[in-house]
Amino acid sequence: MFFGTYTPKLDEKGRLFLPAKFRDELTEGLVVTRGQERCLTVWSMEDFAKLTDRLREAPVTQKNTRDYVRMLFAAASQEVPDKQGRINIPAPLREYASLRKECVVIGSMNRIEIWDPTAWATYSEEQEQKFSELSDEVFPGI
């Protein structure tokens, strides 16, 4: 499980230091791809395989399914962290998420998200009030 907020930097080669707490689960490899709201999503190989299995069950006759699969997989990059815990973030993905040097990395349960700091601050501020309101929808009756 991934949780917490970290602020690593991209180096001049476009590599990102994964937070130390995330590295053990990702030593065998990972997939980094587009996320929603212009962030990047990092999946362990195991969880990306589970996601792929679920998408295989979706009807390819539906345009929304085809569109989603194309966008997700076309941008996906399989990476293996180096000995220092760095992963390469390909240039098209850095551009998609507006990543320069500073980054915000958040744990989001079974995945990691990589954000531009300004985009994350804006998103967080917009979602703060909704967060308390959503608890009734996400956990009805609790």
Side-chain angles (χ1 to χ4, degrees), residues 83-104:
K83 290 181 182 183
Q84 285 108 11
R86 298 175 298 194
I87 58 168
N88 180 56
I89 307 294
L93 289 174
R94 292 194 310 265
E95 185 177 316
Y96 170 79
S98 301
L99 299 178
R100 303 294 174 253
K101 186 171 181 142
E102 307 292 324
C103 297
V104 173

Side-chain angles (χ1 to χ4, degrees), residues 6-116:
Y6 305 87
T7 54
K9 293 178 178 21
L10 284 171
D11 69 13
E12 64 282 345
K13 295 181 180 178
R15 297 175 299 189
L16 179 82
F17 280 96
L18 289 170
K21 291 182 179 184
F22 295 169
R23 293 178 192 169
D24 286 346
E25 195 167 333
L26 301 171
T27 57
E28 299 301 313
L30 55 92
V31 175
V32 57
T33 190
R34 289 181 182 113
Q36 284 71 38
E37 293 86 34
R38 290 280 197 196
C39 72
L40 301 181
T41 304
V42 177
W43 300 88
S44 69
M45 293 302 295
E46 179 182 347
D47 281 334
F48 195 75
K50 289 176 187 176
L51 175 66
T52 299
D53 289 342
R54 289 187 61 200
L55 289 170
R56 281 189 184 115
E57 296 172 8
V60 294
T61 55
Q62 291 185 357
K63 185 175 181 336
N64 286 345
T65 299
R66 292 190 310 272
D67 291 344
Y68 184 83
V69 167
R70 287 174 183 144
M71 295 302 289
L72 181 73
F73 284 85
S77 180
Q78 186 174 346
E79 304 291 335
V80 175
D82 67 14
K83 290 181 182 183
Q84 285 108 11
R86 298 175 298 194
I87 58 168
N88 180 56
I89 307 294
L93 289 174
R94 292 194 310 265
E95 185 177 316
Y96 170 79
S98 301
L99 299 178
R100 303 294 174 253
K101 186 171 181 142
E102 307 292 324
C103 297
V104 173
V105 174
I106 65 165
S108 190
M109 198 165 50
N110 65 335
R111 64 190 179 280
I112 298 165
E113 294 179 351
I114 305 170
W115 289 77
D116 165 75

